[in-house]
Amino acid sequence: MNFLEERITKDGIVKEGNVLKVDSFLNHQMDVALLDQLGQAFYERFKDKGITKILTIEASGIAIACSAARYFGVPVVFAKKSKSINIDGDMYVAEVESFTHKNKNNVIVSKKFLRPGDRVLIIDDFLANGCALQGLISITESACASVEGIGIAIEKGFQHGGRVIRNLGYDLYSAAIVEEMNAENGTIVFREQN
Ligand code: 5GP
C-alpha cells in the first residue's frame, strides 16, 4: 500500500451513497505533510511534461494543487463556483454538476490567468463521475491551452469518470484508486497500481 492508501485505510470513513469521507486529513482538517507527499507524487509523474500552470477547482482541490505547485514552480489557478448567470466575456465558463451536493454550478476562470499555449496539469481531490474534470478540461481547451496531465488524489474506480477520461486519451494518474468500498462494514479495497 502507498502512503495515501494507508491513510485512507486508517482514517477514511465510508458513507452511504458512494461517498468516502476524508475530512480528518484531506478536505476539512488537512495533514500538510501528506499534502506535500501528494504534491511530490504528482511532480514525479508529470515532471517531464513542461507544465506551466496547475488548474484546480475550489475548494478541496486548492491545497493539493498548491503542494504540487511548490515542486513544479508554477502558479495555481482555481476555477471558482459562481451562481451568477451574468458572466462577462473575460471569463471561461463551464457547467459542473456537484457529486456531493447534487446541484449544478457554473465554474469560471479569468481569461487573464489561462493563456493560449499554457501546458496545464489539472489536479483535484476526488474523481467520481468526472463532471468536475470535464469542466476543467473544457475550460483549458477553450483557452487554447493543452491538458498535459491530470492528477487526482482519490479515484473511485467503481464509478465511471476514470474510464471515460482515460478513454478520451488524457494522461490520468490517481494516487489511490478505490476499487470497492462498503458502508456497512467500512472496508475499502484498492486497485493494484505499479
Ligand atoms: P465528479 O465530478 O468526478 O463526479 O466528482 C468529483 C468532485 O466531487 C470532487 O471535486 C469532490 O469534491 C467531490 N467528490 C466526489 N466523490 C466524493 C467522495 O466520495 N468524497 C468526497 N469527500 N468528495 C467527493
Side-chain angles (χ1 to χ4, degrees):
M1 265 200 242
N2 71 24
F3 67 98
L4 184 59
E5 293 164 342
E6 276 175 15
R7 189 58 178 272
I8 295 167
T9 303
K10 181 167 160 278
D11 292 328
I13 298 169
V14 183
K15 296 284 191 189
E16 292 295 341
N18 287 333
V19 173
L20 177 61
K21 275 198 97 148
V22 289
D23 59 355
S24 66
F25 61 95
L26 200 62
N27 51 24
H28 191 161
Q29 174 169 264
M30 291 186 283
D31 179 336
V32 178
L34 182 102
L35 290 175
D36 184 66
Q37 280 181 289
L38 265 175
Q40 191 173 10
F42 292 140
Y43 180 69
E44 288 305 324
R45 183 64 171 66
F46 295 112
K47 64 183 175 204
D48 299 327
K49 293 288 184 98
I51 301 300
T52 61
K53 209 147 274 187
I54 294 179
L55 177 66
T56 187
I57 183 165
E58 67 175 353
S60 304
I62 296 175
I64 305 170
C66 288
S67 293
R70 296 275 298 171
Y71 285 91
F72 284 94
V74 301
V76 172
V77 179
F78 64 92
K80 294 183 170 208
K81 293 173 183 161
S82 163
K83 292 261 176 281
S84 167
I85 40 169
N86 296 318
I87 291 164
D88 63 35
D90 297 337
M91 300 283 179
Y92 297 112
V93 188
E95 192 178 65
V96 171
E97 183 169 350
S98 162
F99 176 81
T100 38
H101 300 108
K102 308 288 178 220
N103 60 352
K104 284 188 181 171
N105 278 301
N106 281 324
V107 298
I108 56 174
V109 170
S110 167
K111 289 186 177 172
K112 276 189 294 198
F113 302 131
L114 208 50
R115 310 295 302 176
D118 262 331
R119 297 172 64 85
V120 175
L121 174 62
I122 295 176
I123 284 185
D124 204 4
D125 60 341
F126 272 92
L127 171 56
N129 294 324
C131 296
L133 277 189
Q134 299 269 16
L136 295 175
I137 290 169
S138 142
I139 282 176
T140 305
E141 292 177 350
S142 304
C144 296
S146 58
V147 177
E148 295 297 326
I150 301 174
I152 297 291
I154 307 171
E155 174 179 340
K156 290 182 293 179
F158 53 88
Q159 294 179 281
H160 65 262
R163 192 175 60 247
V164 170
I165 298 290
R166 288 188 182 90
N167 284 345
L168 288 169
Y170 294 103
D171 185 4
L172 166 64
Y173 163 72
S174 301
I177 304 181
V178 176
E179 202 65 276
E180 23 175 307
M181 59 187 203
N182 184 318
E184 267 163 39
N185 59 21
T187 52
I188 301 171
V189 178
F190 297 98
R191 186 180 299 172
E192 291 271 343
Q193 300 195 81
N194 42 21

